[in-house]
């Protein structure tokens, strides 16, 4: 339906967006599959597997948070177990890409706090127990070990 020119343009945008995401996230997460010039193809794949050892946080925990924030959620477990493959690269405006990257950077900051102490790993965290549904948020009997505000805010 897009024709040759449309497909070419969509591919160019996907590559541009994926590289924008890769450059924003690289200081926070290892980015896989870069070429000799440090560029990625049409998607940005991060490898958070080491975080499970250092913090107990899994790729599934990370992937749930952008969804909780109503951001385009990263696909995970592709192309290999434990990798996070973002699919925001093809369809989103720069503002949405920035919201996604900001959320991922905030997630990494929360993980860094967990990594600081052994107690951080054992303490229940919103990141590990996300998503918090509207019923969780509105329930009078909040029974989590962290505050409702901490559990429901980015």
């Amino acid at each position: 339906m897009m024709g040759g020119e449309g497909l070419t343009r969509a591919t160019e945008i996907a590559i541009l967006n994926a590289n924008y995401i890769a450059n924003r996230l690289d200081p926070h997460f290892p980015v896989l599959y870069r070429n000799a010039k440090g560029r990625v193809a049409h998607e940005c794949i991060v490898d958070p597997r080491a975080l499970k050892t250092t913090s107990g946080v899994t790729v599934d925990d990370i992937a749930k948070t952008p969804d909780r924030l109503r951001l385009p959620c990263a696909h995970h477990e592709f192309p290999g177990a434990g990798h996070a493959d973002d699919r925001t690269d093809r369809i989103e405006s720069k503002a949405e890409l920035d919201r996604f990257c900001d959320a991922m950077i905030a997630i990494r900051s929360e993980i860094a706090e967990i990594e600081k102490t052994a107690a951080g790993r054992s303490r229940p965290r919103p990141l590990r127990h996300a998503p918090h549904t509207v019923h969780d948020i509105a329930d009078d009997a909040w029974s989590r070990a962290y505050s409702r505000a901490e559990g429901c805010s980015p």
Side-chain angles (χ1 to χ4, degrees):
M1 289 179 13
M2 295 173 75
E5 287 181 28
L7 288 174
T8 298
R9 183 67 179 142
T11 301
E12 291 169 346
I13 291 169
I15 292 169
L16 179 66
N17 288 350
N19 279 280
Y20 178 77
I21 292 167
N23 286 329
R24 289 267 334 259
L25 296 184
D26 187 51
H28 310 281
F29 295 95
V31 175
L32 300 179
Y33 309 115
R34 289 182 178 269
N35 69 13
K37 294 183 178 182
R39 295 190 181 109
V40 298
H42 63 284
E43 59 195 14
C44 172
I45 300 171
V46 297
D47 185 4
R49 289 177 293 180
L51 297 175
K52 185 173 183 179
T53 303
T54 62
S55 67
V57 174
T58 68
V59 67
D60 294 322
D61 298 327
I62 293 168
K64 290 184 294 186
T65 300
D67 185 49
R68 178 186 71 171
L69 302 176
R70 295 190 176 174
L71 293 169
C73 192
H75 293 273
H76 58 284
E77 305 298 336
F78 177 84
H83 299 151
D85 170 19
D86 85 79
R87 293 293 179 158
T88 58
D89 52 359
R90 295 181 181 90
I91 56 171
E92 303 299 333
S93 67
K94 182 176 179 299
E96 285 300 297
L97 295 177
D98 284 334
R99 285 184 63 221
F100 174 79
C101 290
D102 291 345
M104 292 296 290
I105 292 165
I107 290 166
R108 184 62 184 98
S109 295
E110 184 175 340
I111 294 168
E113 288 298 315
I114 295 169
E115 291 172 318
K116 285 182 181 178
T117 65
R121 289 190 65 179
S122 62
R123 178 179 170 246
R125 296 282 196 167
L127 185 61
R128 294 278 300 154
H129 298 284
H132 297 86
T133 67
V134 69
H135 299 291
D136 292 333
I137 296 166
D139 190 355
D140 288 335
W142 181 262
S143 60
R144 312 287 172 131
Y146 43 86
S147 73
R148 186 185 315 260
E150 187 179 7
C152 301
S153 65

